[in-house]
């Protein structure tokens, strides 16, 4: 299934994507007084019980909203954790002139960084060197602690597209990357949350375009640490909770990897489009 979060007035509604448009779950609930309002986080936590309900809605629904009229919200609005993996593609390590890590490089973003598909991203005035990073994002589905690699993917609810926007001058100011990674709006995700049963995370084409020019083009099979390895590794140090987000790293082609004379950093007016096979396209404009 493909879920979306979207605004209806000032409220966020949960939707299901179909080939013809979006089903508003709240509108379907209004036709059945026994049903309650559901958020994406509640769906993840109660998936086994609720899955038949959504399958029924896909089969029998009363109305479709044209997708072009949707005002998207982030696919997950209130994760407990936003974790990110750095240096997870060999080619990206080489272009960044960094050492190959022995263990996954983990850093974090915060909820202030979340942004939605088609949302305009305002650049902070405190930095100048703004970069994109196309990434596959894992959405955790079950509480996970000390899990084995072979079991790790069974703890995934689904996947979405992410852009690990980075202010490189802030990122490299100290040995800690946080300030350059967690500016407001620096974690766009979406447009859809695709459930894990529809996705093979180890074989997905991934691409980033800036103003129509292809900048990144790779496949998740080139990850150094697979999604299963990442989840297992993190779970040995902290408990992963339903709705947690894990950005899994970016391939080669970021601006940081260009020769210095060709480093034309993101600026107001730039359009960024990230596509991942079977997950759709995430679009954001820099304002």
């Amino acid at each position: 299934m493909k879920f979306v979060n979207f605004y209806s007035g000032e409220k966020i509604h949960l939707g299901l994507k179909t080939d013809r448009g979006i089903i508003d779950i709240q509108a379907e609930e209004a036709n059945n007084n026994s049903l309650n309002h559901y958020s994406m986080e509640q769906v993840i936590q109660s998936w086994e019980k609720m899955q038949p309900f959504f399958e029924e809605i896909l089969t029998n629904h009363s109305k479709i909203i044209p997708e072009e009229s949707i005002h998207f919200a982030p696919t997950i609005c209130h994760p407990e954790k936003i974790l990110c993996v750095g240096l997870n593609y060999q080619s990206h390590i080489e272009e960044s002139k960094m050492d190959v890590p022995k263990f996954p490089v983990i850093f974090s973003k915060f909820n202030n960084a979340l942004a939605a598909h088609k949302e305009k991203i305002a650049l902070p005035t405190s930095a100048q060197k703004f970069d994109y990073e196309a990434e596959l994002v894992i959405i955790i589905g079950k509480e996970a602690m000390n899990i084995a690699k072979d079991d790790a993917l069974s703890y995934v609810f689904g996947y979405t597209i992410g852009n690990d926007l980075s202010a490189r001058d802030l990122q490299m100011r100290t040995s800690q990357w946080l300030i350059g990674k967690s500016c407001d709006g620096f974690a766009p995700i979406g447009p859809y949350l695709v459930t894990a049963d529809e996705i093979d995370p180890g074989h997905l084409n991934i691409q980033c375009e800036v103003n129509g020019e292809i900048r990144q083009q790779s496949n998740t099979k080139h990850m150094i640490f697979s999604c299963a390895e990442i989840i297992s590794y993190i779970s040995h140090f902290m408990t992963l909770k339903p709705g947690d987000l894990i950005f899994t790293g970016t391939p080669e082609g970021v601006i940081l990897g260009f020769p210095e004379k060709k480093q034309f950093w993101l600026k107001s007016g730039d359009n960024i489009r990230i596509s991942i096979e079977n997950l759709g396209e995430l679009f954001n404009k820099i304002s």
Side-chain angles (χ1 to χ4, degrees):
M1 293 186 195
K2 292 183 173 66
F3 288 95
V4 299
N5 274 332
F6 66 97
Y7 289 96
S8 178
E10 295 183 355
K11 294 183 178 180
I12 293 177
H13 281 204
L14 178 64
L16 279 170
K17 174 180 167 54
T18 73
D19 292 339
R20 297 188 296 115
I22 305 298
I23 303 170
D24 184 346
I25 299 301
Q26 274 66 50
E28 299 301 319
E29 290 173 12
N31 296 328
N32 186 333
N33 293 330
S34 66
L35 298 175
N36 296 316
H37 172 88
Y38 295 126
S39 68
M40 191 67 249
E41 287 83 354
Q42 289 171 319
V43 170
I44 293 172
Q45 292 175 10
S46 306
W47 180 239
E48 289 187 6
K49 180 178 69 175
M50 297 175 67
Q51 184 176 0
F53 160 60
F54 291 106
E55 290 174 346
E56 172 65 21
I57 283 185
L58 280 173
T59 303
N60 300 300
H61 51 270
S62 59
K63 185 179 179 182
I64 290 286
I65 304 172
E67 186 168 336
E68 57 270 18
S69 68
I70 292 292
H71 178 193
F72 286 88
T75 46
I76 297 289
C77 295
H78 304 289
E80 181 183 275
K81 293 182 284 295
I82 304 174
L83 300 169
C84 308
V85 182
L87 306 174
N88 199 26
Y89 288 76
Q90 179 69 39
S91 53
H92 176 54
I93 292 171
E94 292 171 357
E95 70 177 358
S96 301
K97 299 177 176 61
M98 296 185 181
D99 296 330
V100 178
K102 295 180 180 180
F103 304 98
V105 176
I106 307 298
F107 61 94
S108 62
K109 291 177 180 266
F110 298 111
N111 285 9
N112 67 290
L114 288 174
H117 174 54
K118 295 186 178 180
E119 184 172 339
K120 292 183 178 180
I121 309 298
L123 298 178
T125 59
S126 56
Q128 295 180 328
K129 298 180 178 181
F130 302 106
D131 209 347
Y132 49 80
E133 293 191 10
E135 307 203 10
L136 173 67
V137 179
I138 299 166
I139 297 99
I140 296 296
K142 298 184 293 184
E143 185 170 302
M145 182 64 180
N146 293 323
I147 61 174
K149 181 182 74 172
D150 291 345
D151 298 328
L153 293 185
S154 69
Y155 288 80
V156 177
F157 181 79
Y159 302 89
T160 191
I161 302 171
N163 186 354
D164 175 18
L165 286 167
S166 306
R168 299 300 189 188
D169 41 352
L170 300 182
Q171 178 186 351
M172 304 304 178
R173 180 177 286 182
T174 70
S175 61
Q176 302 297 311
W177 294 357
L178 179 65
I179 293 299
K181 290 288 191 173
S182 205
C183 300
D184 292 347
F186 270 33
I189 55 173
Y192 318 117
L193 188 165
V194 184
T195 51
D197 60 301
E198 297 190 12
I199 299 296
D200 177 0
H203 294 83
L204 297 172
N205 292 322
I206 180 170
Q207 180 173 292
C208 175
E209 298 179 14
V210 178
N211 300 327
E213 176 189 357
I214 296 175
R215 298 287 186 87
Q216 295 181 281
Q217 195 165 34
S218 188
N219 189 288
T220 56
K221 68 182 180 182
H222 298 304
M223 286 182 181
I224 296 172
F225 302 103
S226 68
C227 289
E229 290 172 306
I230 291 166
I231 295 166
S232 175
Y233 178 78
I234 294 172
S235 78
H236 282 79
F237 306 101
M238 64 187 79
T239 302
L240 293 169
K241 297 291 186 69
D244 282 351
L245 302 175
I246 304 176
F247 284 65
T248 58
T250 198
E252 73 278 8
V254 299
I255 301 171
L256 180 66
F258 293 0
E260 188 171 351
K261 292 183 178 179
K262 295 184 178 180
Q263 290 180 339
F264 302 110
W265 304 101
L266 294 175
K267 63 186 183 306
S268 179
D270 283 345
N271 296 313
I272 306 169
R273 188 180 306 276
I274 296 173
S275 57
I276 298 182
E277 186 178 0
N278 298 329
L279 290 175
E281 293 184 344
L282 171 67
F283 174 84
N284 295 99
K285 188 180 186 70
I286 302 299
S287 67

